[in-house]
């Protein structure tokens, strides 16, 4: 009996009596000399916690909790015990409304509340986001244009006035959903006071997902004092992969060549190994590795329920 025959027997038993685990890479850290972002995941692969550290003093932690009808993002800064909340309502797996409540547990500051409303087209693409800020009666509308599976343009209005727009191009060779999450153009319009909706973006809760990673963003202000960016904020990105195809560096080529390094780990997809083994009967093979129904005269190979293999001569 050769080693190869024994290995083939073991593989036959494993595949006939079990499901084998699968793995995929998950982003666990992105960093440069000034800032660090780390990511922690639930067993089902959803983002559970995001930590952001800038310099030696600025620390933010976001924790994501998922239910069938809502996603709650708890945001804490500087190790404080006071949390802000970013709560999104889900209908058929899509976010239709988000309410952000700040300072709700801080007696020294008034409660501050804003909301977002979302509109999708027939292709399930997010085409409009309306930010309603009741505290100062401010309403900002972002109209979104899609081209070839990506957001190509975002026009932002305050009231009826066009205040600016964002033009986006993509790198078709980068399809990692974690990298797409990092530089998603929706971040620009959905980020409120540092509450980044990474868990919602990674989970695909904003309808049709963007297919590729961003190559460039160009900011075009029309009313500079109201638009959040100026033309100098525009950038182009290049990506460096390792031998396994993982993106390990992102370089902002138009912002002093800032480099962000990425670290990855293999994470179980949740398909668990060998759930049959406790109830599966012993299996028998002859000396040539052929399956048989019972012990036969001569050399027998027996695969036991605990996975062990032994030889029996009858």
């Amino acid at each position: 009996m050769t080693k190869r025959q024994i290995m083939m027997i073991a593989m036959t038993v494993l595949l006939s009596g079990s499901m084998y685990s699968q793995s995929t890479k998950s982003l666990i850290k992105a960093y440069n000399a000034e800032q660090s972002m780390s990511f922690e995941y639930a067993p089902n692969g959803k983002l559970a916690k995001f930590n952001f550290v800038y310099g030696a003093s600025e620390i933010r932690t976001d924790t994501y909790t998922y239910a069938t009808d809502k996603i709650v993002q708890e945001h804490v800064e500087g190790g404080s015990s006071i949390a802000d909340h970013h709560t999104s309502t889900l209908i058929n797996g899509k976010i239709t409304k988000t309410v952000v409540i700040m300072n709700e547990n801080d007696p020294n500051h008034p409660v501050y509340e804003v909301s977002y409303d979302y509109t999708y087209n027939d292709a399930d693409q997010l085409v409009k986001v309306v930010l309603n800020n009741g505290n100062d009666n401010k309403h900002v509308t972002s109209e979104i244009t899609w081209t070839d599976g990506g957001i190509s343009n975002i026009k932002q209005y305050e009231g009826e006035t066009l205040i600016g727009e964002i033009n986006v191009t993509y790198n078709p060779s980068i399809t990692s959903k974690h990298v797409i999450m990092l530089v998603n153009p929706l971040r620009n319009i959905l980020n409120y006071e540092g509450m980044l909706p990474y868990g919602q973006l990674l989970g695909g809760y904003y309808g049709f997902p963007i297919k590729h990673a961003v190559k460039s963003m160009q900011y075009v202000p029309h009313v500079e004092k109201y638009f959040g960016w100026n033309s100098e904020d525009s950038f182009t990105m290049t990506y460096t992969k390792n031998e396994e195809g993982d993106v390990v560096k992102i370089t902002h080529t138009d912002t002093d060549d800032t480099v962000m390094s990425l670290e990855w780990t293999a994470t179980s997809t949740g398909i668990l190994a060998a759930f049959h083994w406790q109830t599966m009967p012993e299996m028998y093979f002859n000396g040539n590795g052929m399956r048989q129904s019972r012990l036969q005269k001569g050399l027998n190979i027996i695969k036991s329920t605990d996975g062990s293999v032994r030889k029996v001569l009858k």
Side-chain angles (χ1 to χ4, degrees), residues 6 13 47 49 56 75 91 98 102 115 117 122 132 140 147 200 204 219 225 228 230 264-265 307 312:
I6 293 175
V13 175
L47 183 62
K49 183 178 288 188
H75 178 83
I91 296 179
T98 296
M102 303 178 64
S115 66
D117 292 294
D122 292 339
N132 301 294
V140 176
T147 305
Q200 298 89 324
Y219 299 99
K225 67 177 181 177
N230 56 49
W264 302 81
T265 187
V312 174

Side-chain angles (χ1 to χ4, degrees), residues 43-299:
N44 59 9
K46 292 182 179 180
L47 183 62
K49 183 178 288 188
F50 164 65
N51 297 294
F52 175 81
V53 179
Y54 187 85
S57 57
E58 187 173 350
I59 302 172
R60 305 174 192 164
T61 299
D62 289 80
T63 304
Y64 304 85
T65 303
Y66 306 87
T68 55
D69 60 343
K70 65 181 178 180
I71 301 171
V72 178
Q73 178 178 347
E74 187 175 87
H75 178 83
V76 176
E77 296 190 9
S80 171
S81 60
I82 298 171
D84 301 320
H85 288 89
H86 178 288
T87 303
S88 297
T89 300
L90 294 174
I91 296 179
N92 297 325
K94 286 187 301 190
I95 296 175
T96 57
K97 189 178 185 66
T98 296
V99 175
V100 178
I101 301 178
M102 303 178 64
N103 306 321
E104 59 182 313
N105 298 316
D106 189 345
N108 299 313
H109 293 87
V111 173
Y112 199 83
E113 180 176 326
V114 301
S115 66
Y116 293 84
D117 292 294
Y118 307 92
T119 301
Y120 300 86
N121 63 15
D122 292 339
D124 214 25
Q125 296 168 330
L126 180 60
V127 293
K128 183 186 288 188
V129 178
V130 180
L131 169 62
N132 301 294
N133 190 333
N135 300 278
D136 55 14
N137 198 32
K138 183 178 180 181
H139 305 279
V140 176
T141 300
S142 298
E143 294 185 350
I144 302 167
T145 300
W146 289 75
T147 305
D148 296 329
I151 293 172
S152 57
N153 176 268
I154 300 173
K155 287 184 170 64
Q156 217 169 51
Y157 298 81
E158 187 166 326
E160 301 297 322
T161 303
L162 176 63
I163 59 174
E165 57 188 299
I166 307 169
N167 296 310
V168 190
T169 65
Y170 296 89
N171 185 329
S173 71
I174 309 297
T175 58
S176 163
K177 65 180 182 179
H178 294 85
V179 176
I180 294 170
M181 168 195 73
L182 276 183
V183 201
N184 195 305
L186 289 176
R187 266 189 21 158
N188 293 58
I189 59 176
L190 300 180
N191 171 21
Y192 191 82
E193 296 292 336
M195 281 179 265
L196 291 160
Y198 278 143
Q200 298 89 324
L201 288 169
L202 186 65
Y205 291 102
Y206 292 107
F208 187 88
I210 293 172
K211 297 193 299 184
H212 302 114
V214 167
K215 178 180 180 180
S216 69
M217 281 197 202
Q218 179 187 22
Y219 299 99
V220 183
H222 293 280
V223 183
E224 289 195 18
K225 67 177 181 177
Y226 295 129
F227 194 53
W229 307 269
N230 56 49
S231 57
E232 287 75 24
D233 294 321
S234 302
F235 61 85
T236 300
M237 297 183 120
T238 60
Y239 300 88
T240 303
K241 296 181 181 180
N242 62 14
E243 293 180 352
E244 297 178 356
D246 304 317
V247 174
V248 292
K249 285 185 180 180
I250 302 176
T251 304
H252 292 233
T253 58
D254 297 327
T255 53
D256 300 323
D257 290 335
T258 300
V259 177
M260 183 73 74
S261 298
L262 277 61
E263 293 182 4
W264 302 81
T265 187
T267 303
S268 171
T269 60
I271 302 177
L272 302 179
F275 65 88
H276 285 308
W277 278 6
Q278 287 76 10
T279 58
M280 186 178 64
E282 288 186 332
M283 299 179 70
Y284 308 106
F285 302 83
N286 63 22
N288 293 319
M290 301 296 293
R291 179 83 179 268
Q292 52 195 29
S293 61
R294 60 184 182 276
L295 291 177
Q296 304 288 339
K297 188 174 182 180
L299 179 64

Side-chain angles (χ1 to χ4, degrees), residues 9-10 13 281-285 301-305 307-309:
I9 291 171
V13 175
E282 288 186 332
M283 299 179 70
Y284 308 106
F285 302 83
I301 307 298
I302 303 175
K303 179 71 175 181
S304 299
T305 56
S308 64
V309 178

